[in-house]
Amino acid sequence: MNTKIGTTTMVRFLAGAAFLLGLGVLLAGCSSGPSPAARTGGGRSDLPEWYLDPGSVYPDNTYLASVGTGDTRRAAEQQAMAGLSQTFEANIQVDMRTQERYRDIVTAQGTFSEADVQLAQTTNVQSAQTLLNIQFGEAAVDENGRVHAIAYIERLPTGRVYQELIQKNGRQVESFLREADNSNDVIREYAFVSAAGIIATNNEVLRNQLMIIAPALGQMVSVPYNYDALLQRRTDIASGMRVAVSLTGDDGDRVGGVLRQALNQERFPVSTDNPVLTVTGRVQIEPIDLNPDFESVRWVLNLNMAGPNGSSLVSFDDQGRSSAVTTESAIAFAYRDMQEAVERNFVGAMRRYFDGLVLGN
């Protein structure tokens, strides 16, 4: 398998897909919920009972609820959602790339519906968890023109949806671990264990939330794997996948240093001693005439990751231009751009290669 990727492709790939999808799920459902109680009169501007006493209309044993206030109904609903999300303690953080990889993997497997994939998207927005299956009751306007809205989650039905998805994720993790056990080389074994880890990590977030939404269901649900042992297995396999790095034209090892650091963050040790993977590359910087008021350079970065037999696994090419008052500053900016390309785009290409082995690409 050979993966070729450039800056434009990666920019599109990383353009906030998880956030937009998660927000779309939240805004999609709007239910009437329980009928609001009769409005009260007097000095409280005839506000409804669900605002004055939310628990009387949305009792805690049946619902999780939060009231929000804003200048518009949408602003009030957003605040209500933020308040509701603060009920949850996010013990496990899932970054955007992990969410994107989860979506790609489970979608390609064909065993998850679009609703399943949407439900499993979780992210953090301004330190507040984005939750699932949120619904809204009626809005109310007070005497000052401020809009109030209530967001709620119905515990039992939502808990059952969580329970089903957690179990489905568990079966997928179990399947990937079986494939890893039957793999005939360390690269494929790592790919399947890594994919299993991606799904299991998302599953831990869902299990966390289920314990708050419906504790009884959360205590009943189980998964056919040990999460901590799975993560340890992924680390152990990665520690045996030594990577040799060799770059030409890299003045001061500025690109190579960032590349080795990025590989270490993936838990791959960098070593020339019997390497499993080899990354070779070329850095080129040359002056160009672009603007008479500035000094400009053009940079080119080529990287290739090869397997034990020398076959190319990931081919990465990127280029750009940098300008500054001095040539030295322009060159420094060029190196900064190449370092960012390594950290964001090349590492992403590596991850997609491993995921591609799982997906049969």
Side-chain angles (χ1 to χ4, degrees), residues 288-297 322-327 330 333:
I288 57 173
D289 293 325
L290 189 62
N291 186 322
D293 297 327
F294 297 95
E295 299 297 328
S296 301
V297 297
S322 300
S323 299
V325 176
T326 66
T327 300
F333 289 146

Side-chain angles (χ1 to χ4, degrees), residues 147-198:
V147 182
H148 308 281
I150 188 164
Y152 65 90
I153 293 175
E154 193 172 359
R155 291 181 182 271
L156 190 56
T158 301
R160 287 171 177 160
V161 174
Y162 269 78
Q163 188 179 43
E164 181 179 351
L165 182 56
I166 289 168
Q167 292 170 341
K168 186 178 289 188
N169 277 332
R171 291 191 293 271
Q172 188 66 75
V173 170
E174 189 178 33
S175 174
F176 283 162
L177 291 178
R178 284 197 300 269
E179 291 288 346
D181 292 338
N182 295 327
S183 297
N184 54 12
D185 66 79
V186 67
I187 294 178
R188 284 186 59 83
E189 181 184 3
Y190 172 79
F192 278 101
V193 172
S194 177
I198 290 295

Side-chain angles (χ1 to χ4, degrees), residues 201-241:
T201 296
N202 278 272
N203 225 20
E204 287 301 295
V205 175
L206 296 177
R207 294 178 69 185
N208 246 3
Q209 293 184 345
L210 177 58
M211 285 300 298
I212 296 173
I213 293 171
L217 291 179
Q219 293 172 357
M220 292 170 55
V221 72
S222 63
V223 292
Y225 58 86
N226 182 296
Y227 179 63
D228 292 334
L230 169 55
L231 296 187
Q232 186 61 53
R233 180 179 179 182
R234 183 175 63 183
T235 299
D236 291 344
I237 298 172
S239 67
M241 294 178 62

